[in-house]
Amino acid sequence: MEPAGGAPRESAGAEALLGELEARVQEVVRASSWWERHGVDCAILALSLLALPPGFLCLRSDSPLVFALGITILGVCHYTLTVKGSHLATHGALTESRGWSKVWTLFFVEVCTSFTAEYAKYGHVKMHHGYTNVLGLGDSSTWRLPCLNRYVYMFLAPFLIPIITPLVAVERLREVELRTALRTLGLISLGLYSQYWLLLNMSGFRSPGSALACMLITRSLLAHPYLHVNIFQHIGLPMFSPDKKPRRIHMMSLGVLNLPRLPVLDWAFGHSLISCHVEHHLFPRLSDNMCLKVKPVVSRFLHEKQLPYNEDSYLARFRLFLQRYEEFMVQTPPITELVGLQ
């Protein structure tokens, strides 16, 4: 794959391009208020926390519609806290205070998501963002399960995410200090037991089995788009070898894709994971709202410099992955050579 016509071919040119884009984005950031930089996303997370009690209370109702409303509220709030909250906290995008950033990371990642904060930062921030689409490092290979056929993977496997997540977290604890492992186990247990206790005592569930089943349902409500989004936005795009990876601006413009705005997913997952994923990979410390605000600046700049700006619809990517599942999710992806850009 050759670079787009007119794209710079030397590393110095790539660094100059990135510097120019950073200057334009920082100009927008400096002109933005605290509400725009952090407030909007903090308000969404706060509203999700405040919506939890009504959600639990709705499950006491004998009305199927009210009960379904409770499931919906708890499911959407769960993904807002675990995906949007954990993602922003892991990147330090919720606050400019390092101390509070650590607190929010532990709360959203370990208490809400039942995962380990240390591995979330290592696997996502250091590896995935540092080596986006580099084979064996940040190539999203953790999402590949070659043993499953396309229909099982795309339609049934997402239901296992709530079960697999804490199990993977516990397995990763072997690699951390005992004190950290005990903290993580304690916070994960606190998050899981809190939901279980509230279902029994606030929602009125009469048996442990029914409460556990409700936990699985609410934690699986948006599991399908969560899995799909994670593979749609990187897999199937150019992949690079570790010793010949392109400069950052080319890596992100080639190896990242934006989906269109989708209201429910924008709310629950955040703009940086849906319609502003390119912007997020270029500027990972920006909040969801700021990624949305700088999106016109980034897209205009990449188009001006004749660099790729990948966009596609959710349905188009879904069809593409069903058609080319073996190529994308089973076989080793081919390495893209960018002459003069490594």
Side-chain angles (χ1 to χ4, degrees):
M1 182 175 181
E2 292 292 333
R9 298 175 181 273
E10 302 297 333
S11 60
E15 294 302 320
L17 273 178
L18 185 57
E20 183 181 348
L21 177 58
E22 286 178 346
R24 295 190 189 185
V25 169
Q26 284 304 313
E27 184 178 349
V28 176
V29 173
R30 284 193 296 269
S32 302
S33 64
W34 176 88
W35 176 255
E36 292 175 303
R37 296 196 309 273
H38 303 293
V40 172
D41 294 294
C42 288
I44 291 173
L45 294 172
L47 286 173
S48 297
L49 285 170
L50 293 173
L52 291 176
F56 282 110
L57 290 174
C58 283
L59 298 184
R60 298 184 68 92
S61 175
D62 294 329
S63 168
L65 290 179
V66 177
F67 187 87
L69 176 62
I71 292 290
T72 303
I73 291 173
L74 293 180
V76 173
C77 289
H78 171 76
Y79 276 88
T80 305
L81 297 173
T82 60
V83 179
K84 180 184 178 72
S86 294
H87 189 231
L88 292 176
T90 301
H91 282 287
L94 282 175
T95 175
E96 295 171 12
S97 165
R98 290 189 177 183
W100 278 109
S101 184
K102 175 70 172 177
V103 170
W104 293 131
T105 300
L106 293 178
F107 174 72
F108 287 116
V109 177
E110 299 197 347
V111 177
C112 298
T113 311
S114 303
F115 202 63
T116 164
E118 278 70 24
Y119 190 76
K121 283 199 169 186
Y122 174 79
H124 183 73
V125 178
K126 183 175 180 180
M127 300 305 295
H128 176 62
H129 275 267
Y131 302 93
T132 301
N133 283 28
V134 176
L135 289 179
L137 296 173
D139 59 355
S140 301
S141 58
T142 53
W143 293 100
R144 290 189 172 95
L145 290 173
C147 59
L148 302 181
N149 68 48
R150 69 195 67 199
Y151 300 106
V152 172
Y153 183 89
M154 298 292 281
F155 295 102
L156 298 179
F159 290 116
L160 296 177
I161 290 178
I163 299 173
I164 293 174
T165 300
L167 295 178
V168 172
V170 171
E171 190 275 332
R172 297 295 182 186
L173 293 181
R174 298 181 304 170
E175 305 170 9
V176 302
E177 297 179 356
L178 177 61
R179 181 177 62 180
T180 302
L182 292 175
R183 181 211 70 204
T184 299
L185 282 174
L187 292 178
I188 289 176
S189 300
L190 174 64
L192 292 172
Y193 184 75
S194 295
Q195 185 180 10
Y196 173 76
W197 186 90
L198 288 168
L199 287 171
L200 290 177
N201 294 277
M202 193 173 182
S203 300
F205 281 78
R206 297 178 181 177
S207 69
S210 61
L212 291 173
C214 185
M215 288 177 66
L216 180 61
I217 292 171
T218 56
R219 289 170 178 251
S220 302
L221 190 68
L222 297 178
H224 287 75
Y226 175 68
L227 184 146
H228 296 161
V229 164
N230 274 283
I231 63 175
F232 289 172
Q233 294 182 312
H234 294 286
I235 296 176
L237 298 175
M239 294 283 173
F240 315 108
S241 65
D243 57 338
K244 291 185 178 181
K245 62 184 181 71
R247 293 290 175 172
R248 179 177 174 80
I249 192 166
H250 298 296
M251 182 190 297
M252 303 310 174
S253 63
L254 285 164
V256 186
L257 177 140
N258 283 346
L259 296 171
R261 295 193 63 177
L262 303 165
V264 174
L265 300 188
D266 284 344
W267 178 275
F269 296 173
H271 300 299
S272 61
L273 289 179
I274 305 299
S275 61
C276 305
H277 204 50
V278 173
E279 291 74 14
H280 168 64
H281 267 261
L282 286 166
F283 305 99
R285 288 186 61 84
L286 293 183
S287 65
D288 287 331
N289 186 63
M290 284 306 302
C291 282
L292 185 64
K293 187 173 181 180
V294 304
K295 179 182 175 73
V297 176
V298 174
S299 62
R300 183 167 56 249
F301 179 86
L302 294 180
H303 285 126
E304 284 176 3
K305 305 303 179 181
Q306 299 183 39
L307 290 169
Y309 187 75
N310 298 311
E311 296 178 293
D312 204 356
S313 71
Y314 188 106
L315 184 58
R317 296 297 286 177
F318 187 84
R319 289 173 175 168
L320 181 66
F321 270 73
L322 280 181
Q323 294 168 358
R324 302 172 64 179
Y325 179 82
E326 293 287 329
E327 177 186 346
F328 289 167
M329 304 299 294
V330 178
Q331 301 171 7
T332 301
I335 293 174
T336 298
E337 295 284 349
L338 301 174
V339 179
L341 297 183
Q342 285 82 2

